[in-house]
Amino acid sequence: MTIDCSDETADIIVAGAGHNALIAAAYLARAGKSVLIVDARPIPGGGVATEEFLPGYFMDSCSTGHTIIQGNPVIKDDTLGLVGRHGLTYVDPDPVARVAFPDGEQIGMHLDPQATHAEFARFSNRDADRYLDFLADWDDARSAFNAANNTPIGWGPSLDQLLEQVPNGGVWRRRRALSAVDVIRHEFEEEHIQAFLLWEACQTFGSVDLPGSGVLPYTIMGGRQKRSWTIPLGGSGRLTNALVSEIERHGGRIECDTSVSRLLLDNGRCVGVESTDGRQFHARDAVLSTIHVKHLVDMAPREAWGDSFTYGVETYDIGIPLFAVFLVMNEIPTFRGLRPQDTAVSSGLATWPQDCVDMVRAIRDRRPVTDSAWTLVATPSLVDPSRAPAGMHTVKVLVPASHVAPYGATSWDDAKERHADAMVQYVSTAIPNVNSATIEARIVKGPLDIERANAHMINGCAHGGDKGVPFSGPLRPAPGWASHAMPIPGLYQTGGTTHPGGSITGAPGRNAAMVMMRDLGLDFPG
Ligand SMILES: Cc1cc2nc3c(=O)[nH]c(=O)nc-3n(C[C@H](O)[C@H](O)[C@H](O)COP(=O)(O)OP(=O)(O)OC[C@H]3O[C@@H](n4cnc5c(N)ncnc54)[C@H](O)[C@@H]3O)c2cc1C
């Protein structure tokens, strides 16, 4: 293959600038590699972005909560200097959560576990005590799961081997294989408490009725109870800004508005990428992709991937779509019978566990869904006034959505305003001041809008794919190809389609950096 000298060349070409790819790029740039990142969006960060949707209002277009990444050495030990050098600052809101149920009851969660215990005890003393045992159980197992998530597949002991070292390791191995709803129903007997814990377990939009989701109630509640729904001051995009600053400090570059359509192969090796406008970007050492694997397989001839990989991608479940309504409000959304200060940044409405099971099943079956069994009402301006003018609030209503449009519409584009009306009306049943008098502006993002803004979020599925047993650990994204190195030599994959999956964890990015740096003969610093 001849290289056109007008083309862009770097040691590492990174396709897609999500936070995982940026973390990997930052490690590589710090190790002395020249790094060029291309992304289809006008701004970097993918789902870690804060956008001024309306003048003076800074909305997180995707993620707001960054709890899981707090356990990643990138934040915990500040290995990239994001906190110390680049000023990334996190806040841990208290109250942690407030959730309303269909019968009008509510539960508030607080950073003090005894205060959460007291709330649970209003419904069941037995379950309230069980909750403290549940947290203590998780304390025993937390480090094994954290180590497994923050280590590439195939490096070191497997999760099952790590669990052999923790008290009740066999119990944890069974929990892993159960569903979240099975685990909650086994541990707790009162339905409000079950519904509350399932509402928390749904935060990462997994199939909470499927085997493999059983540890979710522990991971989510453990993180929330330890340090809340942690959010970056100034908006989600502050994490991206810090990563970009670190990459640029080491000479790396980012080109936005550049959509990759093809992998460049030379003698079977990936040596770069081509964008839709015909530009070519050549890699001296390697290409790192965060393009969804469903798209990636179409960017090189089928025979380059091999049958095992293509089968893995064809049978890969893209997950559950999201639907978001962004509101500008002139009041704090306030729960019926409570004070404004009782609203948590992470608030919402839950239905009973069986409704939740039925909803995720209907979504997987590609049936239309109009009611939401899980609703998040996120108001980050409660603890971060920089996001809105004084006295005003930015509110994000988030619900799972069906793959097919509801209300008999042929496209989600035709159904989204009606669905937004229905979701706002539903929220007002528990939070009555969410109404036309307090809502000053509304922006609706249906599944197709979410995908248009980020091709990695196919049909609005933002978490890189389901995390059930067939798509987790050594099977993600495809059996035999879970360690970031792809079947095409020179090509590596990161992002939500790789272990341990989507959400703001940074783990796929750091893990990919570990693998690439080993293969490039570089020391990984930590
Ligand atoms: C409304 C909403 C709310 C959410 N809230 C939360 C939350 O509070 N907490 C949480 O943890 N998670 C949340 N998520 C999920 C979270 O945003 C994602 O799981 C996360 O961003 C995935 O990160 P990533 O690094 O895998 O890639 P992404 O953030 O998806 O980034 C991928 C990047 O690759 C680029 N790309 C894709 N294809 C191409 C191509 N062909 N050429 C060039 N570039 C390409 C995209 O433009 C994008 O910039 C939310 C998602 C949405 C939509």
Side-chain angles (χ1 to χ4, degrees):
M1 151 178 240
T2 51
I3 293 183
D4 179 345
C5 291
S6 63
D7 289 342
E8 303 275 7
T9 302
D11 294 335
I12 312 287
I13 297 292
V14 181
H19 79 290
N20 283 301
L22 293 176
I23 285 172
Y27 274 110
L28 288 157
R30 284 166 66 105
K33 290 292 173 189
S34 65
V35 173
L36 173 56
I37 305 162
V38 294
D39 195 286
R41 303 199 70 214
I43 54 170
V48 181
T50 303
E51 301 180 53
E52 196 174 5
F53 280 166
L54 297 164
Y57 293 92
F58 298 90
M59 313 255 198
D60 295 331
S61 42
C62 293
S63 66
T64 293
H66 287 195
T67 306
I68 313 173
I69 199 172
Q70 303 306 316
N72 186 320
V74 166
I75 301 297
K76 188 162 55 87
D77 305 327
D78 200 18
T79 51
L80 297 175
L82 305 180
V83 175
R85 181 183 290 274
H86 300 291
L88 178 63
T89 307
Y90 281 105
V91 284
D92 300 327
D94 195 12
V96 176
R98 173 154 294 275
V99 175
F101 305 100
D103 60 359
E105 290 285 358
Q106 299 172 15
I107 287 182
M109 177 178 176
H110 303 270
L111 270 178
D112 175 1
Q114 291 302 334
T116 308
H117 176 277
E119 277 286 286
F120 284 11
R122 293 196 297 111
F123 297 92
S124 160
N125 285 320
R126 181 256 181 210
D127 280 1
D129 291 346
R130 274 298 298 138
Y131 178 62
L132 299 182
D133 296 340
F134 170 95
L135 294 175
D137 269 7
W138 176 241
D139 277 342
D140 289 338
R142 180 199 302 270
S143 59
F145 284 94
N146 205 32
N149 283 343
N150 288 293
T151 307
I153 295 291
W155 289 37
S158 69
L159 178 54
D160 275 347
Q161 289 166 329
L162 289 169
L163 289 175
E164 278 168 18
Q165 312 303 318
V166 309
N168 283 324
V171 169
W172 282 105
R173 291 174 63 190
R174 171 58 58 84
R175 281 182 183 140
R176 277 187 70 202
L178 290 169
S179 74
V181 76
D182 288 337
V183 166
I184 287 169
R185 282 178 171 153
H186 180 267
E187 302 298 325
F188 300 94
E189 59 189 20
E190 203 286 325
E191 207 171 18
H192 295 87
I193 295 171
Q194 290 178 345
F196 179 82
L197 293 167
L198 197 57
W199 183 85
E200 288 285 5
C202 283
Q203 298 272 339
T204 53
F205 283 62
S207 284
V208 288
D209 60 329
L210 282 187
S213 59
V215 178
L216 267 179
Y218 290 92
T219 53
I220 305 264
M221 290 307 291
R224 298 287 198 278
Q225 192 61 75
K226 192 170 173 204
R227 58 172 307 162
S228 188
W229 200 49
T230 303
I231 65 170
L233 264 190
S236 192
R238 289 297 171 96
L239 171 59
T240 294
N241 295 352
L243 284 164
V244 170
S245 299
E246 182 61 11
I247 291 164
E248 289 179 345
R249 193 170 81 88
H250 293 279
R253 282 200 305 122
I254 302 183
E255 291 233 7
C256 288
D257 291 313
T258 305
S259 179
V260 172
S261 54
R262 191 165 76 91
L263 299 177
L264 301 176
L265 304 192
D266 186 17
N267 281 326
R269 185 177 174 81
C270 185
V271 293
V273 301
E274 184 175 276
S275 56
T276 46
D277 57 6
R279 294 168 71 198
Q280 296 194 342
F281 301 86
H282 292 275
R284 288 186 205 94
D285 292 333
V287 172
L288 174 64
S289 150
T290 192
I291 294 166
H292 200 290
V293 287
K294 293 267 190 195
H295 295 157
L296 193 67
V297 285
D298 293 332
M299 294 188 183
R302 188 180 170 97
E303 57 272 18
W305 301 105
D307 289 341
S308 168
F309 185 79
T310 47
Y311 180 83
V313 173
E314 281 162 10
T315 55
Y316 188 81
D317 180 344
I318 59 172
I320 294 178
L322 278 68
F323 183 96
V325 186
F326 297 86
L327 303 176
V328 165
M329 284 185 61
N330 58 26
E331 286 183 9
I332 293 173
T334 305
F335 281 80
R336 189 180 299 286
L338 290 189
R339 304 161 304 169
Q341 60 266 40
D342 297 319
T343 301
V345 174
S346 171
S347 289
L349 288 75
T351 52
W352 307 120
Q354 191 57 47
D355 298 322
C356 212
V357 168
D358 294 344
M359 179 189 68
V360 289
R361 178 77 231 186
I363 292 173
R364 276 203 311 280
D365 289 344
R366 303 310 195 249
R367 284 184 270 142
V369 170
T370 49
D371 296 334
S372 176
W374 183 89
T375 305
L376 177 74
V377 181
T379 313
S381 51
L382 280 174
V383 295
D384 184 356
S386 74
R387 297 183 185 228
M392 301 295 287
H393 289 280
T394 56
V395 181
K396 178 169 59 183
V397 177
L398 193 62
V399 297
S402 44
H403 284 275
V404 295
Y407 313 114
T410 49
S411 157
W412 255 114
D413 287 340
D414 298 329
K416 68 179 187 177
E417 292 297 334
R418 179 170 171 187
H419 198 55
D421 290 345
M423 290 303 103
V424 169
Q425 162 62 28
Y426 173 54
V427 168
S428 73
T429 60
I431 311 177
N433 74 334
V434 176
N435 58 42
S436 55
T438 59
I439 298 172
E440 298 212 347
R442 176 176 105 171
I443 296 161
V444 180
K445 301 281 183 189
L448 298 179
D449 299 311
I450 293 171
E451 179 175 6
R452 282 183 201 112
N454 180 348
H456 192 229
M457 299 180 176
I458 300 174
N459 212 16
C461 300
H463 293 83
D466 189 70
K467 282 186 62 178
V469 172
F471 317 110
S472 287
L475 306 182
R476 190 177 190 90
W481 305 104
S483 302
H484 304 283
M486 292 288 95
I488 301 176
L491 176 66
Y492 295 82
Q493 177 74 355
T494 185
T497 63
T498 61
H499 168 75
S503 298
I504 311 311
T505 72
R510 182 171 169 276
N511 291 345
M514 290 167 82
V515 172
M516 291 180 75
M517 289 175 72
R518 178 202 58 189
D519 291 357
L520 295 169
L522 301 167
D523 289 332
F524 184 75

